Amino acid sequence: MDDRALNARSRDRAARSPLGKALLLAGLTLGVFLALPSPSAREPALTASASFRGADNECWTYRRSERLFGKLMNGARERAGLPRLSLDPEASKVARKHSREMVEKNLLHHTPSSTLVRRVTRWEILGENVGVGGTVDSLHGAFMDSPPHRANVLYAKFRHVGVGVTTGNDRMWVTVILENRLDPGTRLRMPRC
């Protein structure tokens, strides 16, 4: 069995584990993957009829570079026979906040797990890719050339993606958050109309 299949089996096993909110970190130092076995009792599961648009996210504006990342990831998923990812405003807000933090520190790093699970609500499985470079195309290419980043982009259970792009220090910084539920949320303040 190859490493990718083994990682996918480990992810699925961790997602079904009855050990409460145990976190699973998969991939190398550049790719992060978190899994929860189930939503908390305080956060009811959403049904297939739940709306993807809420009053708190109708006014979110994606940057052109963020939409391009989404388009490139969906192209890779389509070529692999996987469903498209939906750009999610709340996950994008979380991603953009982390990208700004990386620029402020001038340091490429993942969101600490404890911070990520506080910022993103209503989730079961999360993946995060972070990068710094010159263009959307070069960063996406680097993600797809890196096995842990590629595995996050092509993980079949992911349905939503948040992309946060910030420029600083003459470079483009990106955080990509992938999620598998109908409508992840955030504790961060969203824009109002």
Side-chain angles (χ1 to χ4, degrees):
M1 177 178 303
D2 68 5
D3 288 342
R4 188 167 155 194
L6 183 60
N7 284 341
R9 285 184 58 196
S10 296
R11 290 176 190 164
D12 291 342
R13 193 175 310 118
R16 291 189 306 264
S17 170
L19 297 177
K21 292 192 174 189
L23 297 178
L24 169 70
L25 287 151
L28 301 175
T29 58
L30 297 177
V32 71
F33 190 96
L34 303 172
L36 282 179
S38 63
S40 73
R42 293 174 293 147
E43 297 168 348
L46 297 175
T47 65
S49 63
S51 172
F52 283 84
R53 309 279 297 157
D56 62 344
N57 63 24
E58 291 176 357
C59 295
W60 181 256
T61 303
Y62 293 100
R63 296 175 178 150
R64 191 170 147 211
S65 55
E66 293 166 343
R67 288 189 181 278
L68 182 53
F69 268 109
K71 181 179 177 181
L72 292 172
M73 285 185 284
N74 278 329
R77 288 177 64 88
E78 286 175 9
R79 287 187 295 282
L82 297 169
R84 294 175 58 82
L85 297 168
S86 171
L87 273 172
D88 183 82
E90 286 90 2
S92 293
K93 170 78 175 195
V94 172
R96 199 180 286 173
K97 180 174 180 63
H98 183 66
S99 293
R100 279 194 311 267
E101 291 169 347
M102 290 191 297
V103 168
E104 289 167 6
K105 294 178 181 179
N106 196 28
L107 176 68
L108 180 67
H109 65 283
H110 282 286
T111 308
S113 298
S114 60
T115 301
L116 190 59
V117 300
R118 277 194 323 270
R119 289 180 180 170
V120 180
T121 62
R122 296 190 311 261
W123 63 275
E124 290 175 348
I125 302 173
L126 288 175
E128 180 186 65
N129 289 345
V130 298
V132 59
T135 66
V136 172
D137 288 328
S138 68
L139 284 164
H140 175 73
F143 285 155
M144 297 310 288
D145 288 341
S146 163
H149 291 96
R150 181 181 179 85
N152 273 347
V153 171
L154 299 181
Y155 186 54
K157 291 188 178 183
F158 287 143
R159 295 291 182 265
H160 297 275
V161 63
V163 181
V165 174
T166 302
T167 55
N169 307 317
D170 297 320
R171 298 183 289 177
M172 177 180 285
W173 300 73
V174 63
T175 303
V176 176
I177 297 175
L178 301 119
E179 197 276 336
N180 72 312
R181 294 218 17 176
L182 284 177
D183 187 14
T186 184
R187 289 185 176 92
L188 300 177
R189 181 174 296 208
M190 295 297 292
R192 295 191 183 248
C193 299

